[in-house]
Amino acid sequence: MSTGTDAGLLDKPKAQSVYKHGIIEQYVVRYATMTASRLDPKRCVLFDGFAGRGRFETGEAGSAEHMMIAAQKIKASTQVDLLLVEKDHDSYLALNAVADEYRERGLRIAGYEDDCANRLGDMLSLAKGASLFVLLDPCGAVLPMDPIRGVLDQRGNWPRTEVLLNFNAGLIRRSGGQLKKGQLDLGGVAKADTVCGGEWWRDVALAAHEESGGENWESAAEAVALEYSRRLTAGTKYGAVVAPVRRQVHKQPIYYLIFLTQDPHGFWVFGAAASKAREKWIDFLGPDADEGQGTLWDTVKDQLDRENAKAVDRITENLRVLTADGQPKRVVQHYAEIFGDVYGEAKETAFSAALRAMIKSKEVEYVTKGSKPHQHVIKKSGV
């Protein structure tokens, strides 16, 4: 069983961690407060099944501590209980020491030195009557599909449950290569079978590899991740988005973050969180020499400004298509059509800028103007 990605394998955050932590930092507070607001008591449970050390040796927060920080921020209005699991003994001791700091500040944090799979029942018990956010972020293979699917089935529709899991692209690339060479005794193929809940991934990976000209396994990993998310949510009310996580802009993904929710609000808020996390990631990397102008003085701000301008243009075109039929559109229910291929990259401000310009030019009008961007109801003007 894998330990967490913050389990001491890295002594300081890497680019992919900056992106992942940015999502957690942005998303958890909004999720916990929104989903608990309709409950009595107002309570949310945060579960980290591969919690690692909690904090890097540099003193910077890891995933688990980012969740503690989120809980600390909102404890006056929302009760947040945390359940942290880490198998590695030394990592667990470090994690528990960090948790003790937050326990002294009034947070309720349960911790176990154990396999994640052994504590799913404890998680479900703790989360009765509360909303639940599940983070499964191992350094290696994630849990088999069946236990994750079991959590979705047992939780039902309410209170809300959302899952963010790490699907290892490297495992699929290695296992695909072993499969093609007939090296079934090396263990990778069997491990992928376990994670994916069967052998279906083999045909998906080989077909995508062949379609790419047999040059690499990147497209195979993406195809398997997408099909995995489809199978995991099939027959449920959950939907999924799949976000590639890279060390560098033009490198193949190390893993995919798969986000599961039943509510379009979840997708909207997750996309907004991912876009802000991406800005932090790009700032961490520095200017991309292969993007944009490539001038000596090109800065991260220049790059982000160009991306934002492109996003506003793309969203404007998408809004024209969305409103063309003249029918009222509740914005939050059309996040996919509005953002399209810039979902998770474009910020809410890009949407607001595009919409303001279209309102001003009388292309679009408000049916209902919400206090927040996702609350608007809009339609084509004059229809």
Side-chain angles (χ1 to χ4, degrees):
M1 185 68 65
S2 300
T3 57
T5 55
D6 300 331
L9 299 177
L10 304 174
D11 60 1
K12 62 181 180 179
K14 303 298 184 184
Q16 62 272 23
S17 296
V18 170
Y19 176 72
K20 174 186 65 182
H21 295 159
I23 289 177
I24 295 171
E25 180 183 16
Q26 294 288 329
Y27 189 76
V28 169
V29 167
R30 290 183 71 177
Y31 173 75
T33 52
M34 289 171 65
T35 58
S37 65
R38 294 166 56 192
L39 302 176
D40 185 17
K42 296 178 180 179
R43 188 168 75 93
C44 179
V45 171
L46 307 179
F47 176 79
D48 190 341
F50 301 87
R53 300 177 64 88
R55 181 183 294 161
F56 291 95
E57 292 179 6
T58 57
E60 294 167 273
S63 298
E65 187 173 13
H66 274 294
M67 294 171 78
M68 297 180 215
I69 293 169
Q72 181 75 25
K73 286 179 178 178
I74 60 175
K75 71 176 185 177
S77 64
T78 305
Q79 179 182 331
V80 180
D81 297 332
L82 292 93
L83 197 161
L84 310 175
V85 182
E86 174 53 45
K87 180 182 180 182
D88 179 76
H89 177 68
D90 290 341
S91 296
Y92 175 75
L93 292 179
L95 171 70
N96 203 45
V98 175
D100 278 342
E101 297 177 20
Y102 288 86
R103 291 180 181 119
E104 291 175 1
R105 301 171 192 169
L107 293 189
R108 304 204 315 187
I109 305 173
Y112 294 101
E113 183 182 340
D114 203 352
D115 283 336
C116 173
N118 295 336
R119 294 297 171 176
L120 296 179
D122 296 89
M123 175 192 75
L124 291 170
S125 295
L126 180 63
K128 286 182 179 177
S131 57
L132 173 64
F133 180 79
V134 180
L135 177 65
L136 301 174
D137 182 32
C139 184
V142 75
L143 294 177
M145 182 184 289
D146 286 348
I148 302 173
R149 177 60 184 258
V151 169
L152 304 184
D153 292 338
Q154 290 183 62
R155 281 289 293 177
N157 300 330
W158 187 259
R160 290 297 187 208
T161 302
E162 293 186 349
V163 180
L164 184 63
L165 67 89
N166 172 330
F167 187 83
N168 194 303
L171 171 65
I172 300 303
R173 290 194 293 266
R174 290 191 302 274
S175 302
Q178 293 172 10
L179 177 64
K180 185 176 181 179
K181 295 175 182 176
Q183 298 172 331
L184 303 186
D185 59 333
L186 295 183
V189 174
K191 174 61 74 174
D193 288 348
T194 299
V195 168
C196 294
E199 299 181 358
W200 60 263
W201 72 272
R202 300 182 182 190
D203 290 338
V204 173
L206 290 175
H209 179 63
E210 290 176 6
E211 288 177 11
S212 71
E215 301 263 337
N216 58 64
W217 290 92
E218 181 176 352
S219 59
E222 180 179 10
V224 172
L226 291 169
E227 179 62 13
Y228 172 92
S229 67
R230 188 194 70 78
R231 287 172 178 260
L232 181 60
T233 57
T236 74
K237 294 184 178 181
Y238 286 85
V241 293
V242 180
V245 181
R246 299 177 170 89
R247 285 193 181 94
Q248 296 286 342
V249 175
H250 300 293
K251 298 292 185 180
Q252 61 186 1
I254 303 168
Y255 56 84
Y256 293 91
L257 285 177
I258 300 179
F259 173 70
L260 310 178
T261 185
Q262 300 179 66
D263 193 331
H265 290 85
F267 286 122
W268 184 282
V269 176
F270 181 80
S275 68
K276 292 181 180 178
R278 185 174 180 274
E279 280 199 354
K280 290 188 174 183
W281 176 66
I282 289 175
D283 188 58
F284 182 89
L285 291 175
D288 178 10
D290 295 325
E291 190 276 343
Q293 311 305 312
T295 63
L296 179 62
W297 305 112
D298 208 27
T299 66
V300 166
K301 183 180 183 302
D302 293 330
Q303 179 179 334
L304 293 174
D305 286 347
R306 287 194 296 272
E307 288 188 357
N308 184 68
K310 292 176 182 177
V312 171
D313 289 343
R314 188 69 55 86
I315 291 169
T316 299
E317 290 303 317
N318 293 343
L319 285 172
R320 287 187 179 120
V321 173
L322 176 66
T323 58
D325 64 1
Q327 298 300 309
K329 297 295 190 298
R330 190 169 174 237
V331 163
V332 72
Q333 294 179 335
H334 298 278
Y335 71 92
E337 299 100 309
I338 289 170
F339 288 97
D341 59 5
V342 294
Y343 175 80
E345 297 182 9
K347 296 194 298 184
E348 279 183 309
T349 53
F351 161 74
S352 295
L355 181 59
R356 279 197 305 270
M358 297 181 77
I359 295 288
K360 184 176 181 179
S361 66
K362 302 189 183 304
E363 286 187 74
V364 171
E365 63 186 42
Y366 292 114
V367 176
T368 303
K369 186 174 182 180
S371 60
K372 297 180 180 179
H374 67 273
Q375 296 173 334
H376 301 320
V377 180
I378 60 174
K379 72 179 185 69
K380 187 176 181 179
S381 293
V383 178

